[in-house]
Amino acid sequence: MADFLTSTHRAKWVFTPQHLVEKYRAANQRARQVLEKCGATLMEIDADGSLSYPEPQIAKANVEKHSRTKPLSIDEEQCIRVFFENKIQEVCKSFHFPHKIQATALIYFKRFFLQWSVMEHQPKNIMLTCIYAACKIEENHVSAEELGKGIQQDHHMILNNEMIIYQSLEFDLIVYAPYRSVEGFINDMQWQEFCNADDDFLQMLKTLQDTARLEVDKMMLTDAPLLFPPGQLALTALHNSNALHKVIDFDSYLSSIFSRQNPVHRESEFIESLNAINSLVRKYKFPERKEQSHINRKLESCWGLSSHDESKKREKKSKHKSKKNSSEAQNAPS
Amino acid sequence: MGDGSSNRTNSNSNKPEWLQQYDLIGKIGEGTYGLVFLARIKSQANRGKSIAIKKFKQSKDGDGVSPTAIREIMLLREITHENVVKLVNVHINHTDMSLYLAFDYAEHDLYEIIRHHRDKVNHSINQYTVKSLLWQLLNGLNYLHSNWIIHRDLKPSNILVMGDGEEHGVVKIADFGLARIYQAPLKPLSENGVVVTIWYRAPELLLGAKHYTSAVDMWAVGCIFAELLTLKPLFQGAEVKGTPNPFQLDQLDKIFKVLGHPTLDKWPSLANLPHWQQDIQHIQGHKYDNTSLCNVVHLSPKSPAYDLLSKMLEYDPRKRITAAQALEHEYFKMEPQPGRNTLVPCQPGETFVNYPTRPVDTTTDFEGTANLQPPLPVSSGAGSMPGGHGSNRTVPRPMNVVGMQRMPHQPMQAYNLASQAGMGPGMNPGGIPMQRGVPQAHQQQQLRRKDQMGMPGYPPQQKSRRI
C-alpha cells in the first residue's frame, strides 16, 4: 500500500532499541519460567489448533532427568534467529522468489520472535511458515505442499503454524521493505534531480541500485528493520553504495530531499539513523559452527527433545515430526 | 479482548471467551466464503450494540487459512475512511481454524434498497438519495484507489448503508475478499482468477485483459448508478457457469446492445485483448446499430447525470472517468446537493422511505462454534433472542441470480484491533487458547459441502509455481 505514514507498520512495529531489548528479555524470561516449572519449553499445537506447554507428566520426568537443563541466554537466542534468517534468504533464493517475498518473510519472522522465544516455537517451522505466509500475502501463492516438497519437509507443519503466525503478527500483514524505497529514490534521482541523464549515467544509477540492494540484504539480517522505517534503511543503503561508486553528490541529494520534506525530518536526525544502521550491520556476526551446534544442543534439551523415549512420545502426539526435522536442519551446515 | 484469554475457557462450558462477548441473534447472510451473523455486544461499554460477524470457512483446497479472509483482514487493518467498513475485531476459532471478523452492523444495503423500491413502494429512489449514495460510494472508492487498492467486487449488495443512529444513512463499502493492492504486483492481476460479479464486470475483464486497473471498479459504479435510477440491473447477462476465465458472451452482448459495439477507433488497446481476437464472429460483428443508453436509463442526453454515467461506462479503461474526477463532476454541484444522511433528504417536501430491517434467520447457530458448547441445551444466541426460537423464522434471503450469492455483511467503527489479537504479558503471549481435546466439529463437513461451487475470483485451483 502506498501510505506508510498511516500504516500499522509505522504505528506498531518500529521500536526504540530499549523497547526491543525489553521484548526479547520478556520472551526469554517467560521461557525460563516455563523451563523451571515444566522441565521443557516447546509449545505444542494440538489437534484442535490450540497451543500448550509440555504436560505435567512429561514435565515431571523431564525435571528429574534433566534437572540441569539450562535455558538459552538472550544472546544465544539471537544466534538461533540469525541462523534461520540466513536460511530464509537461502530458501527464497532457491525458489527464485522475488526480493519482496524474502523481505516480507524476514520481517514476519522477526516480529514473531519478538512475541515468542525460540525455546517455545521451533524457528525452522516458523521460518517456513513465514515464507508460506509471505507468498500468500504478496499474491504470489505457492501451495504448502509445493513449498514443503521443495525443501523436503512435511507441509502439514506449515499449515499447523499458519494461524499462530498471523495471530502473533496481530494480523498486521502488510509490511514495507526497503527494496521498493531504494527503487523510489533511484527514480527520484533520475527524474527530479538529474533529468539530463545520459545512458552512462543511467547505467551508473543501475549499479548504484544493485549495490544498494545488497546493502539492504545485509540490513535485513539485523534488528534494523525493527528499529527504522524502510525509507531510512533505503537511503542508508544508497549512501553506502554511493560511497563505493561515487555516482552522485550524496550530500546535496540529501539536502534536496530534506528541503522538499516538511520539517518533520531533519537531516541531522537522519545522519544519526544512518550511523546507527551501519553500526548494526558492522556488529552483525554469523555464529561460528562450533558455537552454533553448542547452542543447538542446549536448545533441543530446552525443547525436551534430547532424550529418545521422550521424543518418541512427543512425535506420536504431534502431527509433524518435529524432532527429526529440527535436528536435520540444525545440524546441517549453512 | 478478542482471543486474548480464552485459556479460561474450560471453566465456562467450553464456549470460547470471545464468543461470550456476544449474544447471537441469527444468520443474516451466506456466501461461498462462509456465513454472516448478527450479534449484540454484552459488555457494559457497548451493551446492545449490533455487530455483524462474518465467519470464513477454511480454504477448500486444504491450503491453509482462506486467502479471501486474509485479504480482507490485511487490507481493512490498514485503512480508515468514513465510507469504508471498518473491522472491529478478529477472532479465531482454533477448533476448525476458522476466522470470525466482527464489523459494526449496517441495517441496509443498496440491493435491499433497490429491491424495496422496485417490489414494494413502486416508485423510484428520490434524486437526493441517489446522488448522495453515489457521492459517498465514489468518496470511499477514491480513498481506496488513492491507496492503490482495487475492490474488484462492487455490486449493490456490497454497498451498505447505516441504519438508525449517529451514522444514519452513511454509505459503507464492504466485502474486501477480492480486493487487492495493485501497486507493483509480482504477477499479472489476471492470475487472481475471475473477478467482479458478472453484471458489474467491466468489458476489459470480459475480454480477458491480463492487466487491469482501478477503472474496473468505476465500470461497476456506473452499473450501480444506472440501477439506482431504474431499479433494475443495467446489463443483466446470463452467466455460463464453471468457466475458468472471465469471458461471458451474453454479458458482452447485453452491453453492446445498450452502448453499441466498441471499436478500435475509440478503444485502441482493444486489439490486444485475447477474446476480442479470438471470437471475431460474435464480438467484432456489428449487430446493434440503434443503441441508446439515455433511453434505457430515462435521462436526457444533455443532463449532467447522463454525462457522468456515460463517462463511467466508457469502453476504454484509460479514458474512463476516475473516482476523483467523478467527485468533481457537475452533477454533484447542482441541486439537490449530496448529503451525509443519504436516506433522509434535508429538503422538506421530499418523501423519504422507511426501509425494512434486514431479515434474520434466528434458527441458525454459529456453525462450527456450536460444537464448542455441547453441554448447552440451546444454541448460543437463542437465550437472548427476542421472540425466542422460531417465532420469527425468516429464511435467509435467496441468492441473487446467476449463481452469485449475496454477501451481506457489515461495517465499521473500529476500536483498536491491536490489543485484541493477544500479546498480553505472561505465559500466553499469543493469547492462544490453552485448552486441549475439544471435540472436532462435524459441522465443518456440512460447510464444506456447501462450498463446492467455485469462489468467483479465487484463483481457480491455480497450481502454484516457482517463478
Side-chain angles (χ1 to χ4, degrees):
Chain A
M1 195 145 27
D3 206 350
F4 177 73
L5 286 179
T6 58
S7 66
T8 53
H9 187 146
R10 181 170 186 263
K12 289 173 56 193
W13 299 96
V14 178
F15 300 93
T16 63
Q18 294 79 359
H19 196 177
L20 209 55
V21 170
E22 276 163 31
K23 292 197 78 115
Y24 287 139
R25 192 185 293 140
N28 182 267
Q29 199 59 37
R30 188 182 55 238
R32 279 166 187 266
Q33 282 166 2
V34 173
L35 187 64
E36 214 162 279
K37 211 164 101 191
C38 308
T41 52
L42 191 60
M43 298 199 88
E44 250 182 60
I45 304 162
D46 294 325
D48 68 350
S50 63
L51 279 184
S52 57
Y53 287 112
E55 276 174 0
Q57 297 93 324
I58 294 176
K60 237 183 205 167
N62 261 345
V63 170
E64 285 157 18
K65 269 194 198 167
H66 307 283
S67 51
R68 281 172 301 143
T69 300
K70 291 219 171 59
L72 262 59
S73 68
I74 294 172
D75 286 346
E76 287 169 330
E77 289 209 53
Q78 165 85 12
C79 282
I80 295 289
R81 288 196 305 269
V82 162
F83 177 84
F84 283 101
E85 288 179 7
N86 276 273
K87 278 270 175 237
I88 289 179
Q89 292 192 334
E90 261 176 56
V91 172
C92 288
K93 269 179 202 143
S94 74
F95 273 89
H96 303 288
F97 288 149
H99 260 75
K100 196 176 176 184
I101 286 176
Q102 189 195 102
T104 301
L106 267 171
I107 293 173
Y108 286 177
F109 185 87
K110 286 173 190 294
R111 289 183 183 181
F112 183 90
F113 283 113
L114 278 180
Q115 318 283 16
W116 300 98
S117 158
V118 294
M119 292 180 266
E120 292 167 311
H121 292 278
Q122 298 200 17
K124 191 191 65 173
N125 296 351
I126 299 306
M127 151 189 111
L128 294 174
T129 313
C130 285
I131 295 172
Y132 172 72
C135 288
K136 208 179 244 189
I137 269 64
E138 300 294 352
E139 300 276 1
N140 189 89
H141 198 70
V142 173
S143 75
E145 206 176 344
E146 170 146 3
L147 192 62
K149 233 184 246 163
I151 42 177
Q152 286 103 50
Q153 298 292 331
D154 177 12
H155 69 276
H156 289 109
M157 168 277 294
I158 294 178
L159 298 177
N160 286 348
N161 280 297
E162 189 187 5
M163 193 67 96
I164 291 155
I165 290 201
Y166 295 143
Q167 195 176 8
S168 303
L169 300 175
E170 300 176 18
F171 291 101
D172 296 333
L173 301 175
I174 294 180
V175 299
Y176 296 78
Y179 299 102
R180 202 175 151 71
S181 315
V182 168
E183 244 174 79
F185 283 122
I186 292 281
N187 286 345
D188 183 52
M189 290 171 191
Q190 190 174 328
W191 298 112
Q192 294 199 21
E193 298 298 307
F194 305 93
C195 46
N196 299 324
D198 54 15
D199 283 354
D200 276 358
F201 183 72
L202 291 181
Q203 192 50 50
M204 281 158 77
L205 275 186
K206 175 89 177 42
T207 314
L208 185 67
Q209 179 173 359
D210 290 346
T211 306
R213 269 165 173 264
L214 297 176
E215 287 288 309
V216 172
D217 282 347
K218 286 192 233 162
M219 293 170 189
M220 291 302 290
L221 294 171
T222 69
D223 278 341
L226 297 171
L227 295 168
F228 300 95
Q232 293 188 18
L233 297 171
L235 211 47
T236 303
L238 282 163
H239 170 270
N240 299 349
S241 169
N242 191 64
L244 196 69
H245 300 296
K246 312 239 175 341
V247 179
I248 60 167
D249 177 350
F250 207 82
D251 287 342
S252 61
Y253 180 65
L254 274 188
S255 309
S256 83
I257 292 178
F258 285 100
S259 67
R260 274 181 274 155
Q261 290 260 338
N262 48 30
V264 176
H265 297 286
R266 271 181 305 154
E267 204 174 328
S268 58
E269 284 170 22
F270 170 68
I271 299 297
E272 265 175 49
S273 299
L274 184 144
N275 291 332
I277 293 165
N278 281 335
S279 142
L280 282 169
V281 172
R282 261 197 314 277
K283 280 192 220 143
Y284 174 81
K285 137 176 166 305
F286 190 80
E288 280 170 36
R289 192 150 168 213
K290 204 174 149 197
E291 191 190 357
Q292 184 76 42
S293 52
H294 169 70
I295 301 172
N296 280 343
R297 276 197 300 276
K298 242 177 123 176
L299 183 56
E300 282 188 21
S301 103
C302 289
W303 287 341
L305 297 181
S306 53
S307 117
H308 267 293
D309 38 309
E310 284 305 328
S311 62
K312 260 184 199 162
K313 265 188 218 162
R314 297 181 71 89
E315 221 169 282
K316 252 188 208 167
K317 281 167 49 86
S318 65
K319 277 187 197 160
H320 50 275
K321 298 164 190 157
S322 41
K323 161 87 190 342
K324 198 173 139 234
N325 294 347
S326 68
S327 41
E328 266 171 22
Q330 309 269 312
N331 298 335
S334 48
Chain B
M1 110 188 245
D3 300 313
S5 42
S6 347
N7 45 331
R8 273 173 283 151
T9 298
N10 288 338
S11 63
N12 203 331
S13 50
N14 276 338
K15 195 170 163 182
E17 188 157 305
W18 73 263
L19 188 52
Q20 293 172 37
Q21 302 171 46
Y22 305 109
D23 284 324
L24 178 72
I25 310 298
K27 183 169 83 173
I28 50 176
E30 184 168 359
T32 39
Y33 59 85
L35 302 167
V36 187
F37 300 93
L38 173 60
R40 300 227 161 83
I41 293 181
K42 282 199 224 165
S43 71
Q44 294 300 333
N46 286 294
R47 184 180 289 279
K49 187 176 165 66
S50 295
I51 293 288
I53 298 179
K54 187 170 176 181
K55 181 200 161 132
F56 284 91
K57 297 168 195 173
Q58 278 179 298
S59 126
K60 57 181 174 294
D61 51 6
D63 209 8
V65 180
S66 149
T68 312
I70 290 300
R71 279 199 192 110
E72 182 141 22
I73 297 171
M74 71 179 209
L75 291 172
L76 291 177
R77 291 287 288 120
E78 305 286 330
I79 57 185
T80 320
H81 190 271
E82 187 179 35
N83 299 120
V84 174
V85 296
K86 200 150 178 189
L87 191 57
V88 176
N89 227 326
V90 177
H91 304 288
I92 302 168
N93 180 19
H94 287 276
T95 308
D96 64 354
M97 283 293 158
S98 53
L99 282 165
Y100 291 77
L101 273 56
F103 301 90
D104 272 8
Y105 178 66
E107 192 63 77
H108 313 290
D109 61 61
L110 294 194
Y111 176 87
E112 285 300 322
I113 287 172
I114 290 166
R115 196 175 71 138
H116 184 71
H117 278 271
R118 188 183 57 223
D119 300 348
K120 297 277 157 49
V121 299
N122 238 329
H123 63 77
S124 56
I125 306 173
N126 78 60
Q127 286 312 300
Y128 165 82
T129 297
V130 171
K131 193 181 281 188
S132 303
L133 290 170
L134 185 66
W135 193 88
Q136 291 188 29
L137 168 58
L138 287 165
N139 195 35
L141 200 57
N142 180 39
Y143 170 80
L144 295 177
H145 290 174
S146 54
N147 280 290
W148 293 92
I149 297 169
I150 331 184
H151 186 282
R152 303 198 298 186
D153 198 18
L154 290 180
K155 55 183 172 183
S157 56
N158 285 341
I159 315 299
L160 310 181
V161 182
M162 297 299 283
D164 279 339
E166 193 277 317
E167 289 202 296
H168 190 206
V170 172
V171 170
K172 305 282 174 181
I173 300 175
D175 202 330
F176 284 70
L178 282 184
R180 68 165 285 171
I181 293 168
Y182 66 109
Q183 185 183 43
L186 297 173
K187 292 180 169 182
L189 269 59
S190 61
E191 291 200 15
N192 281 139
V194 181
V195 295
V196 192
T197 302
I198 173 171
W199 296 346
Y200 307 92
R201 194 178 296 162
E204 63 270 29
L205 291 172
L206 290 164
L207 290 168
K210 260 198 159 13
H211 294 281
Y212 50 86
T213 65
S214 55
V216 301
D217 284 341
M218 288 307 294
W219 179 274
V221 173
C223 298
I224 294 167
F225 184 17
E227 196 167 331
L228 287 169
L229 294 169
T230 66
L231 306 179
K232 59 173 198 255
L234 178 60
F235 306 123
Q236 211 164 347
E239 181 169 38
V240 178
K241 304 265 181 64
T243 77
N245 65 47
F247 179 69
Q248 292 284 348
L249 186 59
D250 190 55
Q251 184 63 26
L252 281 166
D253 193 66
K254 293 288 190 301
I255 295 173
F256 297 165
K257 201 182 250 175
V258 175
L259 297 180
H261 288 263
T263 58
L264 286 171
D265 203 29
K266 289 187 204 144
W267 183 4
S269 56
L270 189 58
N272 306 323
L273 296 177
H275 298 298
W276 171 265
Q277 295 162 346
Q278 282 159 21
D279 199 331
I280 290 171
Q281 186 198 346
H282 294 105
I283 309 293
Q284 297 191 22
H286 281 237
K287 265 200 291 192
Y288 306 108
D289 292 323
N290 299 317
T291 57
S292 177
L293 175 62
C294 46
N295 292 341
V296 176
V297 295
H298 316 298
L299 286 173
S300 149
K302 286 189 184 126
S303 67
Y306 176 77
D307 185 71
L308 176 58
L309 178 63
S310 60
K311 283 175 172 153
M312 291 170 170
L313 297 175
E314 166 67 52
Y315 271 122
D316 188 342
R318 271 177 246 188
K319 296 180 197 155
R320 204 172 295 151
I321 195 168
T322 65
Q325 290 162 349
L327 287 169
E328 296 299 314
H329 194 273
E330 192 197 344
Y331 172 63
F332 293 115
K333 294 187 172 137
M334 43 183 272
E335 292 296 323
Q337 298 217 350
R340 183 169 187 262
N341 186 340
T342 60
L343 303 182
V344 180
C346 4
Q347 281 162 342
E350 288 263 31
T351 49
F352 72 90
V353 180
N354 271 316
Y355 295 101
T357 57
R358 203 176 281 281
V360 181
D361 174 7
T362 53
T363 62
T364 310
D365 199 348
F366 272 124
E367 274 179 274
T369 57
N371 65 87
L372 285 176
Q373 23 159 334
L376 288 185
V378 290
S379 64
S380 61
S384 56
M385 207 163 55
H389 228 99
S391 65
N392 182 25
R393 185 171 180 157
T394 318
V395 177
R397 282 172 293 190
M399 310 283 99
N400 83 356
V401 287
V402 285
M404 289 301 160
Q405 279 111 331
R406 305 226 329 104
M407 304 192 177
H409 70 200
Q410 324 309 314
M412 74 136 276
Q413 180 74 63
Y415 313 106
N416 188 9
L417 187 128
S419 57
Q420 70 84 23
M423 303 309 136
M427 303 288 282
N428 187 14
I432 289 159
M434 312 278 273
Q435 92 266 22
R436 311 177 71 106
V438 175
Q440 274 282 16
H442 17 271
Q443 278 91 341
Q444 263 185 67
Q445 305 218 309
Q446 293 173 353
L447 278 179
R448 290 220 183 90
R449 248 180 283 128
K450 283 188 212 151
D451 195 27
Q452 268 160 14
M453 57 205 311
M455 168 73 188
Y458 182 71
Q461 300 298 326
Q462 183 187 322
K463 284 268 179 240
S464 51
R465 68 218 67 198
R466 304 171 191 184
I467 56 163

